[in-house]
Amino acid sequence: MEIQSLTVSERILLAEALWDSIVAEQADIALTDAQKEELDRRLAAFEIDQDEGSSWSSVKARILSRK
């Protein structure tokens, strides 16, 4: 199957099906050391100032307004 021949909607459904198959196996997805360090950095920054950043509703609204 040539993936590029699929419509965007079909490719999204394919990506969702792939992700669901990984979740169904409860696969343990290992993080790299760099990813762990970045998550630790973000958590530490959040713990210092929990009011910094944007709420999910605000982020979602900004994303949807770009269309």
Side-chain angles (χ1 to χ4, degrees), residues 15-57:
E16 289 174 345
L18 286 169
W19 183 253
D20 290 345
S21 72
I22 293 168
V23 172
E25 293 179 17
Q26 296 182 347
D28 184 23
I29 302 171
L31 297 175
T32 66
D33 288 340
Q35 290 169 324
K36 290 176 189 175
E37 289 171 9
E38 178 63 16
L39 289 171
D40 288 341
R41 184 191 68 74
R42 291 181 185 194
L43 180 58
F46 171 74
E47 289 172 347
I48 291 169
D49 184 1
Q50 295 183 12
D51 293 326
E52 188 175 343
S54 302
S55 67
W56 168 239
S57 59

